């Protein structure tokens, strides 16, 4: 929410030009070198592998590898090679860009720990920790292979390196992101899986709409979270909507201020996480086993079980900087610095309209509730996690591995990639333990619903989470459940997504976890402020965005969080 009289104008750093230049088509020479895998110190084992796998033809390109990926994986499974070695070998055979990146080395854990994560073609995998750097690298490599190996066959079928042919050269101005960066092979690896994600969303949405066809028009703004396990894919949280409330800031925590689809879906995901925390702390072996969480002995927090990942689907390109024109990135010298700043800066959302924080068109009206744009919130969640402050008392940050855009009118995701990834690139060393900039795979997939003009103007939004018997319908402008909603929590029509409802669930989990310190909190605001590492990471993010010239993050009115149960 926006205090009256607050200005968002701030100095604009030189980083805009630097970020835009990063997105220019690479030259042939730069492309050929940038596609080589990054490596740590060479090992004798790696040298032997190089002799086995490399030979050069007259054109200068490597011939088809003489060793199969199956052989490499079999050696790894027999214990003849370790996870780090296998990743380097696969990088050479399949020609993807590999980096073992140190993320954080300090934090709120007793003792000295090192942390590394594997980065493949810009996609970061789960962080591994150890008391030595070698142990941390090994753990990070094992985490990455848990995700890579199940999809290895589909990966081989789409990589140019696996076919023994030279990579395609980049094209000029109007090139798509995949053409300009042909070595984003890890993105191609997941395409076959990606098609299953929108299908899962469509199936769940159809199931809900068949039961309540009168709300089918709301489906045009769908966002959903998909849970991926070894057993398959499952939609666990879903939301629709396109508005902020017109009401003043709620002092009771019983009004939903932001009802945009991705925000609604994320709050539904939080309900899902609370449900699984209650299962974990239930003291019932069967329920604990079914929970997605496990105890992390090194941190004292719970973490997701191995092999569990989340993915985000959105049926529209999120409002804000993600919607910047593609030519803005491709031809930075042809536009004014003012336009650049306004397009990729932070944005504010009020009653369905979006303004740059640098825009003079924004009318500061104290009675209106203002929030950051959906794009900026996704940027925040990819650093702080999707669990929020209250849940971070119990669990490590929860990130999504991929973001799938099902917008049928969208042909370029460059703005999304810049907004979510590059605006906060380089922030990792400043973050506390367990927090990092998780750069997701971003790709276009088929839409699950028609995005009509009527759906954009409709103020109603739907929310649903796994375990709900029926969806809830919230009027985005009013911030409350509608009278026609299949689910209503009570006569006051407060939504199950409101802050008061979240605080109630927080107290339930604190009771089951026997956390007397959390049960003693006097207000929603105090419970959030007690999440010290989360608040530290949030402050680092805000300062970093301001320092890089993207503008000031919205300062909320603290009085709106001062309610208690």
């Amino acid at each position: 929410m926006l205090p009256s009289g607050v200005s968002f104008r701030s100095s604009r750093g030189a980083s805009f030009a630097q970020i835009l230049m990063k997105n220019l088509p690479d030259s042939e020479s730069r492309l050929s070198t940038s596609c080589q895998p990054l490596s740590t110190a060479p090992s004798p084992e790696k040298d032997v592998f190089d002799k086995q796998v490399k030979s050069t033809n007259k054109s200068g390109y490597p011939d088809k590898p003489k060793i199969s990926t199956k052989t490499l994986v079999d050696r790894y499974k027999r214990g003849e090679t370790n996870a780090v070695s296998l990743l380097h070998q696969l990088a050479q055979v399949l020609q993807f860009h590999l980096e073992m990146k140190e993320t954080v080395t300090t934090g709120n854990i007793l003792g000295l720990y090192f942390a590394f994560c594997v980065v493949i073609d810009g996609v970061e995998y789960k962080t591994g920790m150890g008391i030595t750097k070698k142990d941390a690298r090994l753990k990070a490599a094992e985490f990455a292979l848990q995700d890579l190996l199940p999809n290895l066959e589909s990966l081989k079928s789409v990589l140019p390196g696996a076919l023994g042919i030279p990579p395609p050269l980049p094209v000029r101005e109007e090139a798509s992101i995949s053409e300009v960066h042909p070595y984003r092979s890890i993105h191609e690896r997941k395409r076959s899986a990606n098609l299953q994600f929108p299908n899962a969303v469509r199936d769940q949405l159809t199931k809900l709409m068949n039961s309540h066809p009168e709300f089918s028009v709301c489906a045009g703004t769908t966002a959903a979270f998909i849970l991926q396990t070894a057993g398959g894919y499952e939609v666990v949280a879903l939301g629709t909507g396109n508005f902020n409330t017109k009401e003043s800031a709620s002092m009771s925590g019983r009004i939903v201020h932001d009802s945009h689809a991705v925000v609604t879906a994320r709050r539904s995901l939080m309900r899902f996480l609370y449900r699984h925390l209650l299962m974990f702390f239930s003291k019932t072996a069967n329920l604990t086993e079914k929970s997605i969480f496990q105890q992390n002995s090194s941190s004292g927090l719970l973490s997701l079980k191995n092999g569990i990942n989340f993915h985000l689907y959105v049926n529209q390109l999120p409002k804000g900087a993600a919607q910047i024109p593609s030519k803005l990135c491709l031809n930075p010298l042809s536009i004014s610095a003012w336009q650049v700043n306004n397009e990729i800066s932070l944005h504010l959302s009020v009653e369905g309209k979006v303004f740059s924080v640098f825009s003079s068109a924004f009318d500061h009206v104290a009675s209106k509730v203002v929030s950051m744009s959906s794009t900026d919130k996704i940027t925040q969640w990819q650093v702080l996690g999707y669990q929020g402050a209250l849940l971070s008392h119990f669990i490590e940050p929860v990130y999504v591995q991929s973001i799938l855009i099902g917008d049928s009118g969208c042909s370029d995701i460059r703005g999304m990639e810049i907004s979510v990834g590059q605006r906060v690139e380089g922030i990792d060393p400043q973050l506390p333990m367990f927090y990092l900039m998780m750069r997701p795979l971003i790709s276009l997939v088929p839409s699950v619903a028609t995005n009509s003009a009527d759906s954009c103007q409709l103020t109603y939004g739907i929310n649903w989470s796994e375990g709900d018997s029926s969806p809830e319908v919230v009027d985005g402008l009013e911030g409350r459940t509608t009278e026609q909603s299949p689910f209503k929590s009570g006569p006051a029509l407060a939504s199950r997504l409101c802050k008061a409802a979240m605080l109630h669930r927080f107290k339930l989990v604190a009771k089951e976890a026997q956390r007397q310190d959390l049960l003693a909190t006097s207000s929603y605001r105090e419970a959030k402020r007690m999440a010290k590492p989360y608040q530290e990471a949030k402050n680092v993010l805000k300062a970093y965005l301001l320092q890089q010239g993207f503008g000031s993050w919205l300062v909320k009115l603290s009085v709106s969080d001062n309610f208690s149960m």
Side-chain angles (χ1 to χ4, degrees):
M1 285 147 286
L2 183 68
S4 178
V6 173
S7 173
F8 283 91
R9 298 188 179 277
S10 60
S11 61
R12 303 168 186 177
S15 60
F16 290 112
Q18 297 169 359
I19 286 181
L20 293 180
M21 289 302 291
K22 286 182 182 179
N23 287 273
L24 287 172
D26 296 327
S27 64
E28 292 182 28
S29 59
R30 183 179 175 188
L31 175 70
S32 62
T33 57
S34 67
C35 298
Q36 301 301 319
L38 293 180
S39 173
T40 54
S43 64
E45 182 180 318
K46 183 174 180 293
D47 292 338
V48 172
F49 172 77
D50 290 346
K51 293 176 182 178
Q52 287 181 285
V53 77
K54 288 186 176 179
S55 63
T56 306
N57 57 31
K58 293 181 180 179
S59 67
Y61 291 101
D63 284 329
K64 186 175 181 178
K66 301 293 192 300
I67 189 169
S68 70
T69 55
K70 183 179 184 303
T71 300
L72 298 175
V73 173
D74 287 344
R75 289 178 182 175
Y76 168 67
K77 290 181 177 179
R78 291 195 300 267
E80 297 173 11
T81 59
N82 64 30
V84 175
S85 297
L86 178 59
L87 278 178
H88 283 298
Q89 293 167 359
L90 291 176
Q92 292 194 37
V93 172
L94 302 175
Q95 297 185 18
F96 56 72
H97 186 284
L98 171 65
E99 180 183 2
M100 300 289 292
K101 185 174 72 172
E102 187 168 7
T103 59
V104 287
T105 56
T106 60
N108 58 340
I109 293 181
L110 296 178
L112 179 62
Y113 280 85
F114 296 93
F116 279 80
C117 68
V118 170
V119 184
I120 299 179
D121 285 353
V123 178
E124 291 187 2
Y125 289 80
K126 187 175 179 180
T127 299
M129 292 187 300
I131 58 175
T132 67
K133 288 188 176 182
K134 181 179 179 181
D135 291 339
R137 289 192 190 99
L138 183 61
K139 192 65 177 177
E142 291 172 348
F143 283 143
L145 288 173
Q146 287 175 3
D147 189 31
L148 284 169
L149 294 185
N151 300 294
L152 194 57
E153 290 304 315
S154 60
L155 170 63
K156 292 190 298 180
S157 66
V158 297
L159 292 176
L163 301 177
I165 59 175
L169 296 176
V171 295
R172 299 304 180 200
E173 286 184 0
E174 300 302 322
S176 68
I177 191 71
S178 59
E179 292 171 324
V180 174
H181 298 280
Y183 276 99
R184 291 196 174 177
S185 52
I186 202 69
H187 294 199
E188 298 294 331
R189 168 180 71 82
K190 293 195 175 184
R191 260 185 201 170
S192 59
N194 282 349
L195 294 179
Q196 299 181 49
F197 295 156
N199 289 341
V201 177
R202 180 184 294 107
D203 291 345
Q204 182 58 51
L205 191 61
T206 299
K207 182 179 179 181
L208 291 175
M209 293 302 100
N210 284 346
S211 300
H212 306 281
E214 65 273 24
F215 300 113
S216 60
V217 70
C218 299
T221 55
T222 298
F225 287 90
I226 303 102
L227 177 70
Q228 179 185 9
T229 65
Y233 312 98
E234 178 186 8
V235 175
V236 296
L238 183 145
T240 75
N242 213 39
F243 281 87
N244 292 85
T245 178
K246 66 181 181 181
E247 300 295 325
S248 300
S250 171
M251 306 304 174
S252 64
R254 286 167 171 76
I255 289 181
V256 177
H257 298 137
D258 189 341
S259 293
H260 286 86
V262 70
V263 179
T264 298
R266 182 251 183 171
R267 294 184 76 81
S268 297
L269 174 67
M270 293 165 70
R271 294 182 60 239
F272 171 79
L273 297 177
Y274 275 119
R275 184 176 294 114
H276 276 259
L277 279 175
L278 289 171
M279 292 165 62
F280 180 87
F281 290 118
S282 66
K283 301 181 181 65
T284 303
N286 185 39
L287 290 177
T288 301
E289 179 63 27
K290 290 181 179 179
S291 173
I292 63 173
F293 294 112
Q294 63 183 1
Q295 187 72 53
N296 188 327
S297 58
S298 64
S299 68
L301 297 172
L302 303 185
S303 61
L304 295 176
K305 290 178 179 177
N306 293 335
I308 289 181
N309 292 299
F310 285 101
H311 306 269
L312 170 62
Y313 170 88
V314 290
N315 213 48
Q316 286 184 346
L317 206 58
K319 292 179 179 179
Q323 299 182 348
I324 64 175
S326 60
K327 287 187 178 182
L328 184 66
C329 313
L330 297 172
N331 303 295
L333 300 180
S334 65
I335 59 175
S336 67
W338 177 88
Q339 185 182 356
V340 175
N341 285 5
N342 277 272
E343 294 289 356
I344 64 177
S345 68
L346 297 174
H347 285 69
L348 304 172
S349 178
V350 53
E351 294 187 21
K353 298 179 180 179
V354 177
F355 304 86
S356 165
V357 295
F358 296 126
S359 174
S360 59
F362 178 70
D363 180 21
H364 300 281
V365 179
S367 63
K368 292 180 178 178
V369 172
V370 183
S371 64
M372 301 305 298
S373 72
S374 297
T375 298
D376 295 331
K377 288 190 173 183
I378 292 174
T379 303
Q380 173 185 248
W381 298 331
Q382 287 300 124
V383 175
L384 305 183
Y386 285 71
Q387 76 292 332
L390 296 185
L391 280 163
S392 67
H393 283 289
F394 309 105
I395 62 177
E396 295 178 9
V398 173
Y399 299 102
V400 300
Q401 301 296 317
S402 66
I403 299 176
L404 303 106
I405 313 294
D407 193 333
S408 57
C410 175
S411 60
D412 194 317
I413 55 175
R414 182 71 55 83
M416 188 71 177
E417 293 192 326
I418 291 176
S419 303
V420 175
Q422 295 184 28
R423 288 195 299 183
V424 289
E425 196 167 34
I427 195 176
D428 285 29
Q430 303 178 36
L431 294 169
M433 181 64 79
F434 301 119
Y435 292 91
L436 52 87
M437 188 206 81
M438 177 64 76
R439 178 174 288 182
L441 160 74
I442 301 175
S443 57
L444 286 169
V445 296
S447 175
V448 304
T450 302
N451 179 21
S452 66
D454 290 339
S455 66
C456 291
Q457 299 303 317
L458 186 69
T459 63
Y460 288 0
I462 293 173
N463 69 76
W464 172 89
S465 179
E466 183 193 57
D468 291 341
S469 59
S470 58
E472 179 185 65
V473 180
V474 174
D475 188 328
L477 287 181
E478 300 295 332
R480 296 183 181 276
T481 308
T482 66
E483 289 285 358
Q484 301 80 22
S485 174
F487 173 87
K488 290 189 285 289
S489 58
L493 298 179
S495 170
R496 59 191 177 191
L497 300 186
C498 70
K499 292 179 180 179
M502 294 296 175
L503 181 60
H504 175 69
R505 294 184 186 91
F506 170 76
K507 294 285 189 176
L508 286 178
V509 173
K511 182 179 179 180
E512 292 297 319
Q514 299 181 356
R515 291 288 302 272
Q516 297 302 319
D517 58 327
L518 301 181
L519 288 172
T521 53
S522 61
S523 66
Y524 181 81
R525 182 190 183 198
E526 183 185 356
K528 290 175 63 176
R529 293 182 66 180
M530 285 178 62
K532 299 295 186 184
Y534 180 91
Q535 296 300 339
E536 179 186 347
K538 189 173 184 178
N539 290 334
V540 168
L541 174 63
K542 291 179 179 180
Y544 193 83
L545 287 166
L546 180 61
Q547 178 187 21
Q548 297 299 310
F550 296 109
S552 299
W553 195 269
L554 181 69
V555 178
K556 291 185 177 181
L557 293 173
S558 59
V559 67
S560 66
D561 288 347
N562 275 342
F563 65 91
S564 59
M565 296 303 299

